[in-house]
Amino acid sequence: MIAASGGHDSPEPPPLVERERELALFGELVRRTPAGRSGLVVLEGPVGIGKTALLRALVAEARGLGLRVVHAEAADGHRMPLGTAHALLSGLPDSAGPGQSVAYGLADRRPPTLLCCDNDVRDVSFGVLTRLHDVIRRAAARTPLLIAVDDAHEADPASLRLLAHTARRLTGLPVLLALVGRSGSDAPALAEITTLASCRVLRPRPLTGAGIGLLARRLTGAETDAAFQQACLAATHGNPLLATRLIRTLNAEDLPLTGAELSAVSEQDMQAFGARVVRLLHRQAPATVSAARAMAVLGDGAAHELCARLALVDAASFDRSLLVLGSLGLVNGGHAAGTWAFTHALVRRAVLDDLPDDERAAAHGRAARLLHDIGAGAADVADHLCRSPATATQPWATTVLREAAREAMLHASPGTAVMFLRSCVPDGAAEDCDPGLLIELGTAEARLDPEASVRHLTAALDRTASADLRFEAVSTLADALARQGRTDRAFDLLDRYRSDPALLPLGTQSVQLLEAQLLMAATVDRAAYRRLLDTVPLDLALPGDTAPERALLAARAVISVARMDRVAESVAAARRITGRSGPTENSPAFLTIAASVLLYADLPYEAQDVYRQLIDGTDPLLDQIRPNLLALSAEAQERLGALDSALRHTAEALRGTTVARANAHDALPLSVRLHTLLDRGQSAEAEELCGRVPDPVRSEAWQWNEWLCARGRLRLAQEDAERALADLRECGRRQEAWQRTNPAVSPWWYWAGRAHLAVGDQRGARALAEEAVARARSARLRLAQGTGLELWAATAAPDERVRLLEEAEDALGGTRAALLTARVKVARGRALHELGYRKAAREVLRQGWEEAYALGARPLHEVAHRALLATGARPRRPVSRGLAALTRSEAQVARLAADGRSNAWIAETLFVTQRTVEVHLTSVYRKLDLSGRRELRDAMESADVDGGGRRT
């Protein structure tokens, strides 16, 4: 049949993976169509390679840019002459009369010979083709047009001849013609189209192993290993549709996406397979059935003796049963091999499912006791106890489950800890449980199930006699209440212990720490945060002599600096905190907050020093604060122009994150990464990242404000100023609602000003610049002042522009904000040239040109290069600077010298002369702008350098 878009009954196309090349071409063709440049593209490939999904992406992009789309899908079974043409063009207006369409025109003007012709294209007259092409031409004259035909090889020959006729006459028309055909199809007219010089033929490639991994992540959210990717690649030959069906089938059956699992999966029905296993098993002796059930409960590889004891059979009987199960094809291995395993996960599941629920629970309980008696790990025992509710409440089992839960919390697995601890607390029996157990459960539940956490902590709080446990309960309960927006109850709790500090282990110090935690917890809920700030004082006069006092001081200072309230006092407080204490004496979380005060006070170099010390002292696997710490460090580095380091830290912060499911904690590293990619000119990577991040419109968390800012900047770079301005205005509204009014907190106002300029609104841009400069001057925020003056200059007359930019350079002097300084220099050089000061312009532009090159800021470097050429200069290749400029030999020498090795030692180790070492070191000092070895170690430690001298 022939149907309009969406009318056919085909399976859902697979997600687009590894199709960047095709999508980039589509974007180019669609964007140039409104300018009157025609386009012709044919997608060819086998079934399932993703042609339809690509065509739908093209249609969506065309509609997004305002093109009129006519889209038809030709399928087997309906090949009437000009049938596809009629379905394709019936929606286009014709000149036959007002409101009349091609359908009317065909019915009215079709020659009699056409009504009774067969599929032979020779029966279609040239006049009919001309009239139909005229309809397309007239429609294109009104609005740019996309003509898209899926399964074009199935279209009737007459329609194909029309498409070929149109394809040869597209020149000068704002028409993009996109056809999809199957490889090897017999459609001469379609083959003729592909031979046209203007035709771009795209043949999507099969997926790679990495592409299959990405596809699996998008379909299921699960990460896959290389073994699965290669096994899936071998099974599907990289066909996206086949790979999609296979992954969805495995996921629907709750099968793990592993290479071993995939290689063992048969194509037969899963339920029928399980039923056959059970029927086969029940034909065996009772001892064999008991052995199989015990093995299924304990899992692959369990010791023979342990399996026999659980099955209640002697060792000899178990060995015989194992041989029988092996001969039936249910088990691999045996007594001789020393280990065994079920031949497939479905076999084990079938045996377990055959056990009645009460018998299966009892078997898991006996297995837990047996494992406990032989000294198995707490986690292994706990896995069985979770499946045996009656056993889990016994005293020995509760002890094991609590120990396993503590191990899980240490390894940052609160979900596992909650599963273990809930097994110890029967439904409706929380009031009778040990308060310490309820506090452990409530603490584990705090981030996963705040309501349950509040319920359990409240039940335990009044019954615990331990001051330490009471403090843990109060701390976690206040945090959970604040995160739920229940700040009134959280403050009632805090006031209760303020009035009687003796109830807590450290008295007043514990109350201070509780208040600090409460302030930070409220930052996830905007309404709670605003109510909180109306209630608590933000006194910054605390001396900071104790760790709780420093924590409270850090929390108050970061809020104050974000609100532009006593910025100088906030900075002094942050310096007191970071200067008096280290990670071993204080919580890394509050030291991170203190460093963020410095970042928001436009002192990124001071903040970065603290971040670096904290990163060096945190465990990459266990410390939950590390991703946020890396994101803040990357933000400081991006402000300083250390773009490579910023990208590396954001990549580490996002490791293991599914971007399509990003939450507020992921928003900050994503935002910094997007800004940095744009600084480096990696627009394709920036667009790809932005396309995968969910729309933050439903989340009010402040971290998403920064994503709106970064996305607005990307849209500005894409020359979509209206949408950019919408994003940036929304960001500004949300920042105001969060009382984050400090211009050094976020650059949203700068990019909003640039968006105003892009739409021709100089007054709006100037208002933002003047407000930012006024605030920055009052608080001595030098980076924000320099940025605001640069924006202000963009709205000013040329003579005033130079003065403002000179003031901006003065403000930035000594701030180490290399990228911002280079940007101001380029702007000042262009302003000088505009005033006719060619020589001065060249000198300033050359400085900005070289500095942008050294930082890897390609867009700024290109702007500076064009400006230099405009002055009549002929710039040579700039002097390479930075770690990325080191040669392999220079990097080797630099690393050894940074480690404290002498020139003689280095020369002997590398089999070169000392003179060669000296030459290399001189070059290193020049490229890194260093004065000697004292500064070399810090420079080399600031980034990992590979053998070729480039950052990894």
Side-chain angles (χ1 to χ4, degrees):
M1 63 175 291
I2 301 165
S5 178
H8 70 134
D9 190 23
S10 62
E12 181 182 352
L16 290 175
V17 173
E18 295 186 327
R19 295 293 181 256
E20 292 78 10
R21 177 177 64 97
E22 290 84 357
L23 294 175
L25 176 61
F26 288 169
E28 177 189 348
L29 293 174
V30 169
R31 285 192 293 270
R32 73 183 192 179
T33 299
R37 300 177 63 185
S38 61
L40 175 60
V41 61
V42 174
L43 280 164
E44 281 189 352
V47 174
I49 202 67
K51 305 183 298 294
T52 296
L54 282 167
L55 189 66
R56 290 182 180 179
L58 174 61
V59 168
E61 183 161 3
R63 285 178 173 150
L65 290 178
L67 274 70
R68 180 165 192 154
V69 176
V70 287
H71 181 196
E73 298 164 354
D76 291 333
H78 192 87
R79 294 167 60 85
M80 293 297 293
L82 287 177
T84 299
H86 185 276
L88 185 68
L89 304 181
S90 58
L92 287 179
D94 192 14
S95 61
Q100 295 175 349
S101 67
V102 174
Y104 178 93
L106 284 175
D108 184 50
R109 294 178 290 171
R110 184 182 295 163
T113 56
L114 185 60
L115 297 176
C116 59
C117 72
D118 59 18
N119 287 324
D120 189 347
V121 298
R122 290 173 298 180
D123 290 335
V124 182
S125 69
F126 184 81
V128 171
L129 296 178
T130 301
R131 286 201 297 273
L132 290 176
H133 177 68
D134 285 345
V135 173
I136 296 173
R137 181 173 51 78
R138 286 192 294 271
R142 298 174 182 175
T143 182
L145 187 63
L146 168 65
I147 302 175
V149 182
D150 201 358
D151 292 331
H153 58 280
E154 297 289 354
D156 60 278
S159 294
L160 280 175
R161 187 177 178 193
L162 169 64
L163 292 174
H165 181 89
T166 298
R168 290 191 295 269
R169 293 163 175 80
L170 286 177
T171 303
L173 295 180
V175 176
L176 173 56
L177 177 60
L179 309 176
V180 170
R182 185 181 302 168
S183 298
S185 59
D186 184 18
L190 188 58
E192 177 189 341
I193 293 174
T194 62
T195 63
L196 296 175
S198 60
C199 182
R200 303 289 295 271
V201 180
L202 293 179
R203 296 181 176 88
R205 303 183 183 94
L207 299 180
T208 63
I212 287 177
L214 178 57
L215 178 65
R217 187 160 64 249
R218 291 189 181 177
L219 291 172
T220 69
E223 297 290 340
T224 56
D225 56 17
F228 172 82
Q229 295 166 13
Q230 293 305 314
C232 187
L233 183 63
T236 63
H237 301 288
N239 184 292
L241 182 60
L242 295 179
T244 298
R245 288 177 175 174
L246 180 57
I247 292 168
R248 282 177 173 160
T249 299
L250 291 172
N251 190 53
E253 295 294 333
D254 293 329
L255 298 176
L257 301 183
T258 63
E261 194 70 41
L262 181 58
S263 62
V265 169
S266 64
E267 295 182 0
Q268 52 192 319
D269 180 77
M270 304 297 183
Q271 294 181 350
F273 176 74
R276 283 195 292 273
V277 169
V278 171
R279 284 197 301 270
L280 184 61
L281 184 62
H282 280 290
R283 293 173 187 165
Q284 313 310 315
T288 302
V289 175
S290 297
R293 289 175 170 176
M295 295 160 68
V297 168
L298 288 168
D300 292 350
H304 290 205
E305 181 183 357
L306 191 64
C307 293
R309 290 175 63 184
L310 183 59
L312 302 177
V313 299
D314 58 50
S317 296
F318 178 78
D319 289 341
R320 286 195 297 272
S321 299
L322 191 57
L323 291 173
V324 171
L325 293 171
S327 67
L328 296 174
L330 302 181
V331 169
N332 289 326
H335 186 71
T339 58
W340 62 272
F342 285 107
T343 54
H344 197 287
L346 292 176
V347 175
R348 183 188 179 194
R349 182 184 299 179
V351 177
L352 282 174
D353 290 346
D354 183 51
L355 269 169
D357 292 344
D358 55 343
E359 291 184 29
R360 184 165 62 248
H364 278 294
R366 293 202 317 276
R369 187 73 213 199
L370 288 171
L371 288 167
H372 179 262
D373 290 345
I374 65 174
D380 294 332
V381 179
D383 282 336
H384 290 284
L385 289 173
C386 289
R387 296 172 172 82
S388 182
T391 309
T393 55
Q394 296 178 14
W396 72 269
T398 299
T399 301
V400 171
L401 286 164
R402 292 175 74 173
E403 181 183 349
R406 293 185 193 113
E407 290 179 2
M409 290 296 287
L410 284 174
H411 289 81
S413 299
T416 303
V418 168
M419 179 183 69
F420 290 157
L421 292 172
R422 283 181 176 173
S423 301
C424 307
V425 183
D427 292 338
E431 296 291 340
D432 300 324
C433 287
D434 174 19
L437 171 61
L438 290 180
I439 290 171
E440 289 181 30
L441 175 57
T443 301
E445 291 172 325
R447 297 293 178 92
L448 304 175
D449 189 350
E451 290 187 7
S453 174
V454 169
R455 186 170 63 252
H456 289 135
L457 291 169
T458 303
L461 188 57
D462 294 329
R463 293 193 291 119
T464 181
S466 167
D468 290 330
L469 280 178
R470 190 180 297 114
F471 174 72
E472 183 180 351
V474 172
S475 173
T476 308
L477 180 56
D479 182 275
L481 290 168
R483 289 178 184 278
Q484 289 181 297
R486 298 157 69 180
T487 51
D488 294 341
R489 185 175 170 190
F491 260 100
D492 289 342
L493 187 68
L494 183 62
D495 286 339
R496 172 185 171 186
Y497 289 95
R498 275 177 176 162
S499 62
D500 191 1
L503 293 172
L504 299 178
L506 296 176
T508 303
Q509 292 185 35
S510 295
V511 174
Q512 290 174 336
L513 188 56
L514 283 175
E515 184 174 338
Q517 292 172 337
L518 194 61
L519 286 170
M520 290 301 97
T523 58
V524 301
D525 183 280
R526 192 177 70 191
Y529 182 69
R530 292 181 70 93
R531 287 199 301 271
L532 195 62
L533 297 187
D534 292 338
T535 309
V536 301
L538 296 178
D539 179 18
L540 299 176
L542 296 174
D545 294 330
T546 64
E549 205 172 64
R550 288 192 289 271
L552 180 56
L553 191 58
R556 290 175 175 177
V558 79
I559 293 172
S560 296
V561 76
R563 301 169 72 190
M564 284 289 291
D565 180 18
R566 296 171 294 165
V567 173
E569 292 180 50
S570 300
V571 171
R575 286 172 173 164
R576 287 203 304 275
I577 295 166
T578 58
R580 293 184 185 181
S581 55
T584 58
E585 301 169 337
N586 296 274
S587 164
F590 286 105
L591 283 176
T592 301
I593 292 168
S596 299
V597 174
L598 300 173
L599 179 66
Y600 291 165
D602 258 355
L603 300 168
Y605 47 90
E606 287 191 43
Q608 178 54 21
D609 285 342
V610 181
Y611 291 142
R612 184 169 61 245
Q613 294 175 27
L614 290 169
I615 289 170
D616 291 342
T618 56
D619 190 314
L621 298 178
L622 302 183
D623 287 328
Q624 296 182 7
I625 193 177
R626 187 177 176 88
N628 191 51
L629 180 57
L630 288 165
L632 289 166
S633 174
E635 183 172 1
Q637 290 166 334
E638 193 266 343
R639 294 187 184 194
L640 292 170
L643 304 182
D644 287 350
S645 296
L647 285 180
R648 189 174 64 256
H649 276 185
T650 55
E652 186 179 348
L654 295 167
R655 187 174 298 155
T657 298
T658 301
V659 174
R661 300 180 182 179
N663 56 35
H665 297 291
D666 304 319
L668 186 58
L670 285 168
S671 306
V672 177
R673 188 167 186 82
L674 187 55
H675 276 298
T676 310
L677 289 170
L678 292 170
D679 286 335
R680 287 177 56 89
Q682 297 175 231
S683 55
E685 292 89 337
E687 291 174 4
E688 191 273 337
L689 177 65
C690 188
R692 291 190 290 135
V693 176
D695 193 329
V697 69
R698 295 183 180 179
S699 174
E700 288 289 343
W702 67 264
Q703 292 92 337
W704 284 116
N705 302 359
E706 305 307 325
W707 176 254
L708 283 170
C709 172
R711 191 176 71 178
R713 180 183 173 185
L714 172 62
R715 288 176 170 172
L716 187 60
Q718 295 171 328
E719 299 182 358
D720 190 352
E722 293 290 347
R723 294 178 70 198
L725 194 54
D727 270 352
L728 293 161
R729 281 174 170 165
E730 174 62 12
C731 177
R733 182 194 68 78
R734 291 168 59 139
Q735 295 282 36
E736 184 74 27
W738 273 103
Q739 300 187 23
R740 293 167 62 86
T741 54
N742 184 338
V745 167
S746 170
W748 74 267
W749 54 271
Y750 174 81
W751 297 110
R754 287 292 176 183
H756 276 293
L757 290 174
V759 299
D761 179 14
Q762 283 202 333
R763 182 177 298 177
R766 188 170 189 128
L768 287 169
E770 289 178 347
E771 181 181 4
V773 169
R775 289 185 174 185
R777 281 174 174 161
S778 67
R780 302 192 65 180
L781 304 172
R782 296 167 66 190
L783 270 65
Q785 182 180 344
T787 305
L789 287 167
E790 190 236 325
L791 177 61
W792 191 342
T795 69
D799 53 346
E800 184 187 7
R801 188 177 307 158
V802 172
R803 180 185 60 78
L804 289 169
L805 290 169
E806 287 175 346
E807 185 182 348
E809 275 194 67
D810 289 340
L812 295 172
T815 62
R816 308 184 196 176
L819 181 57
L820 178 56
T821 302
R823 194 168 72 202
V824 171
K825 285 181 179 178
V826 172
R828 186 163 71 90
R830 296 173 71 185
L832 287 168
H833 179 240
E834 191 173 353
L835 289 173
Y837 301 112
R838 182 173 297 185
K839 184 177 179 180
R842 286 179 185 174
E843 181 180 349
V844 176
L845 283 169
R846 190 177 297 277
Q847 292 175 13
W849 179 67
E850 289 192 348
E851 290 170 11
Y853 180 84
L855 295 170
R858 287 193 290 271
L860 181 61
H861 176 70
E862 291 170 3
V863 169
H865 188 79
R866 290 194 296 270
L868 268 175
L869 293 176
T871 66
R874 292 294 178 263
R876 298 180 180 179
R877 188 174 183 270
V879 177
S880 297
R881 295 186 183 276
L883 287 165
L886 300 184
T887 66
R888 182 183 300 275
S889 298
E890 289 168 350
Q892 285 181 310
V893 171
R895 178 60 66 192
L896 293 172
D899 290 340
R901 305 298 185 181
S902 67
N903 288 4
W905 191 95
I906 296 172
E908 184 177 350
T909 301
L910 299 181
F911 301 100
V912 296
T913 65
Q914 289 193 48
R915 176 58 182 163
T916 300
V917 173
E918 293 169 0
V919 169
H920 284 327
L921 282 176
T922 300
S923 179
V924 168
Y925 298 152
R926 177 179 56 81
K927 290 180 179 180
L928 301 185
D929 195 21
L930 305 176
S931 60
R933 286 182 185 245
R934 289 186 178 181
E935 298 177 358
L936 181 58
R937 176 174 295 180
D938 291 340
M940 297 303 292
E941 287 179 353
S942 67
D944 295 324
V945 180
D946 65 14
R950 291 176 174 80
R951 297 185 184 185
T952 57

